[in-house]
Amino acid sequence: GSKSELLDLGRRSRLFSGAQRRGLNITQPTCTADGCDWPAHLCHAHHDQPWSHGGTTDLSNARNLCPRHHARIHDPAYETTHLPNGRVAFHMRT
């Protein structure tokens, strides 16, 4: 961060800090769902590896998702595929 703010908090905090959100918004300027272009400032910071399963609150474990796609990534009716370009795609489970 510009004020020597920590950008990797590990397991010390479950929620992403303001400094982390600013850093995330620079590296991910839109929602990371494939085909979505919602601007980062309207997105939620999401843990790729869930906090409840040992995930860390680090930028390497974070992604921006708009409210719709953030709800979808937690919906068991959908399967999430991590794409090579860093985005995610959703498919209805059959």
Side-chain angles (χ1 to χ4, degrees):
S2 61
K3 298 176 184 174
S4 297
E5 296 162 304
L6 291 176
L7 296 182
D8 292 326
L9 299 177
R11 299 278 304 161
R12 287 182 293 192
S13 175
R14 183 178 71 84
L15 300 177
F16 291 95
S17 69
Q20 286 177 309
R21 294 298 314 276
R22 288 187 294 278
L24 190 59
N25 291 353
I26 289 168
T27 60
Q28 299 175 9
T30 62
C31 174
T32 58
D34 198 37
C36 188
D37 62 357
W38 266 54
H41 72 277
L42 297 176
C43 291
H44 302 162
H46 169 77
H47 290 88
D48 276 336
Q49 180 184 7
W51 171 262
S52 60
H53 292 106
T56 58
T57 305
D58 299 338
L59 290 185
S60 62
N61 190 40
R63 75 173 49 254
N64 271 329
L65 290 170
C66 69
R68 182 178 130 212
H69 288 115
H70 196 199
R72 185 165 288 177
I73 207 164
H74 290 287
D75 187 338
Y78 288 89
E79 181 178 341
T80 303
T81 303
H82 291 262
L83 304 174
N85 63 1
R87 297 182 78 72
V88 290
F90 301 98
H91 308 282
M92 190 75 124
R93 293 182 192 271
T94 55

